[in-house]
Amino acid sequence: MENINSLFEKTYEKIKEAKAIVLISHVNPDGDALGSSLSMYTILKKMGKKVSVFNVTKPLPQYLDFLPNFNKVTNKLPDNFDLMISFDCGSFDRLGIEEKPKFLINIDHHISNTNYGDINIIDSNAASTSQVVYNFCKYNNIEIDKESAICMYTALVTDTGSFQYESVNEKVFLMATDMVRAGVDVAFISKMLFQRDRLSRLRLLAKAYDTIEMCCDGEAIFAHVTKEMMEITGAIKDDTDTIVNSLRAIRTVEIACMLREDDEGIKVSLRSKNYADVSKIAEALGGGGHVRAAGATIKGEFDFEKVKEILKEYITKALKENK
Ligand code: 5GP
Ligand code: MN
C-alpha cells in the first residue's frame, strides 16, 4: 500500500476541493462506525462544507444516542454531492447503497477490507477507525474540537473493549490523552455506554445462556438467539451485540460463536481470545472482520444445527493453526 501519509495528504486535498460531502458507515453500525463518521461532521462543517452523515440502518442503536450530532444521521442520501467518505466498512456491499459515488474515500482498520474506494486508507494496526481519523487530523494539523473528540473517544472505547484488547498500545493511550485534553468526560461516556442497559437485554441474555453448547474440549462455545426469544423478551437486535463477548470470557474458551436468526439468514458472530484467527472463518462464510472479532450472515436454507456443523469444522481447523 501507498505510504499512509501521502494518502492523508491526498484525502485532505480532495476534502478541500469538495463542496458537499457524505460521511457513511457500515450497516448495523457500532460505536466505531457512528463515532468515526460523526467525528468528521463538526470538522468538515467548520471548513464550510455541506455535510451529510448517512447510515442505511433504521433505527440506529439507541445506546449511541449521546454522540454529538447523532440526530443528524440520516438514511436518505442527498441527491448531489462531490465526495463520499466511508468509515469502518470492510466491503462496499456493507454500505447499503446501490451505486458507486463519483469519488469514494475508504477509511478503515479491517484486515479484510476489499479496497473498494478511489482512495483507500486501511490501517489494520489501528485499534479503531477513529484512530485512523485521529492520525489523519494530526498529520494535517486539523484541530479536533470537543464534539469530535467525544465521537473519536467513544469509537476507541467500544472497539477496544474498554482498552482491553491486544490492539491497545502506547499510541492508543496517547490518543485517549488527547481526547481528554480536548474536553472528553471519561466517566460521562462510560455511563452513557455501560450504565444504560435494557432489562430486555438481560432477559435475552438468560435465554441465550440456556442454549450454550461447548465443543473442542471446551475451547469453543456456541449460543444462539431465535426470533421467538427476541419476541418473548422484547429484545431488539442491539441487545444481542455483546453476548458473544461474554461467552469468550469462559476460562477455557478460545473461540466463541453466537448465532442469531435474522430476516436475511443466520447472523454469525465470532470472537477469539489468544491465537485463533476468526476473520478467516468469517471470510470463508462470505463475511469478514478482524483476527479477534469477525462475522458473517449465512443466507439460504440453513438452520442452527447445520450452521454449527459447518462452523465446528472451521473452528477445529482454526484451533490447530497458530497455536
Ligand atoms: P459482530 O460480530 O460484532 O457483528 O462483528 C464483528 C466484526 O466483524 C466487526 O468488525 C464487523 O464489522 C465484522 N463483520 C460482522 N459481520 C460481517 C459481515 O457480514 N461481513 C463483513 N465483511 N464483516 C462483518
Ligand atoms: Mn471498527
Side-chain angles (χ1 to χ4, degrees):
M1 195 178 87
E2 209 178 325
N3 176 292
I4 201 153
N5 289 338
S6 87
L7 295 174
F8 285 157
E9 266 167 46
K10 277 187 191 163
T11 295
Y12 199 26
E13 286 312 309
K14 274 281 163 194
I15 287 175
K16 283 183 199 157
E17 283 167 20
K19 284 199 180 81
I21 302 176
V22 173
L23 309 173
I24 188 171
S25 55
H26 65 76
V27 60
N28 299 324
D30 56 10
D32 194 21
L34 286 184
S36 54
S37 53
L38 279 169
S39 76
M40 283 302 287
Y41 179 82
T42 44
I43 288 172
L44 296 180
K45 273 282 182 193
K46 275 186 200 152
M47 289 173 70
K49 308 295 174 187
K50 197 163 173 251
V51 190
S52 309
V53 188
F54 174 91
N55 192 283
V56 73
T57 301
K58 207 180 172 187
L60 291 168
Q62 209 183 356
Y63 73 97
L64 294 169
D65 64 3
F66 67 95
L67 289 174
N69 302 303
F70 179 84
N71 60 2
K72 300 273 184 350
V73 184
T74 168
N75 67 347
K76 286 194 181 61
L77 268 186
D79 293 332
N80 289 306
F81 57 93
D82 324 295
L83 174 64
M84 180 181 270
I85 310 177
S86 69
F87 297 87
D88 202 43
C89 184
S91 55
F92 184 78
D93 60 301
R94 280 172 57 80
L95 292 174
I97 56 172
E98 301 294 321
E99 267 176 64
K100 283 237 174 187
K102 227 187 287 174
F103 200 91
L104 176 60
I105 300 175
N106 164 16
I107 303 182
D108 189 23
H109 69 136
H110 288 90
I111 199 162
S112 58
N113 194 290
T114 58
N115 293 312
Y116 54 85
D118 299 296
I119 295 177
N120 301 288
I121 313 185
I122 316 303
D123 182 358
S124 59
N125 292 315
S128 63
T129 297
S130 76
Q131 196 186 2
V132 188
V133 178
Y134 167 78
N135 291 338
F136 162 79
C137 291
K138 293 292 273 187
Y139 182 80
N140 289 303
N141 288 316
I142 299 168
E143 194 200 326
I144 299 167
D145 58 85
K146 182 176 171 180
E147 290 193 348
S148 172
I150 290 171
C151 296
M152 285 188 192
Y153 179 81
T154 301
L156 190 61
V157 170
T158 52
D159 255 32
T160 57
S162 305
F163 301 101
Q164 291 184 73
Y165 298 157
E166 289 151 359
S167 56
V168 176
N169 54 26
E170 189 185 347
K171 284 182 186 155
V172 166
F173 283 113
L174 287 171
M175 171 177 165
T177 302
D178 253 4
M179 300 297 96
V180 174
R181 278 193 190 126
V184 167
D185 179 341
V186 170
F188 170 75
I189 290 180
S190 302
K191 281 177 201 161
M192 287 297 113
L193 286 173
F194 306 118
Q195 305 294 322
R196 298 194 296 160
D197 212 346
R198 290 157 49 91
L199 183 59
S200 58
R201 196 191 73 85
L202 257 69
R203 295 207 194 283
L204 181 73
L205 198 59
K207 292 207 180 297
Y209 285 170
D210 254 353
T211 71
I212 283 178
E213 188 191 320
M214 307 290 298
C215 79
C216 307
D217 294 327
E219 285 195 277
I221 183 167
F222 289 92
H224 66 252
V225 165
T226 62
K227 277 187 183 171
E228 197 191 356
M229 284 156 67
M230 307 268 293
E231 271 160 31
I232 292 170
T233 55
I236 55 171
K237 268 189 187 177
D238 300 349
D239 291 332
T240 66
D241 279 359
T242 52
I243 297 179
V244 67
N245 297 330
S246 66
L247 300 175
R248 174 175 57 186
I250 306 261
R251 186 188 181 107
T252 57
V253 167
E254 173 58 25
I255 297 180
C257 181
M258 231 289 289
L259 309 177
R260 185 183 71 206
E261 191 183 4
D262 270 0
D263 288 337
E264 312 90 69
I266 293 179
K267 159 84 208 215
V268 179
S269 283
L270 293 156
R271 300 290 184 272
S272 65
K273 194 187 284 172
N274 295 308
Y275 64 89
D277 183 352
V278 290
S279 78
K280 273 198 207 151
I281 303 176
E283 274 177 54
L285 299 171
H290 309 279
V291 175
R292 299 277 174 267
T297 297
I298 304 189
K299 293 168 186 160
E301 288 298 300
F302 284 101
D303 56 25
F304 286 136
E305 288 315 310
K306 255 193 212 157
V307 172
K308 272 190 215 170
E309 236 175 77
I310 298 167
L311 277 165
K312 275 179 196 167
E313 256 179 60
Y314 284 117
I315 287 173
T316 308
K317 235 170 81 187
L319 286 171
K320 281 187 191 132
E321 283 167 14
N322 320 315
K323 205 170 187 175

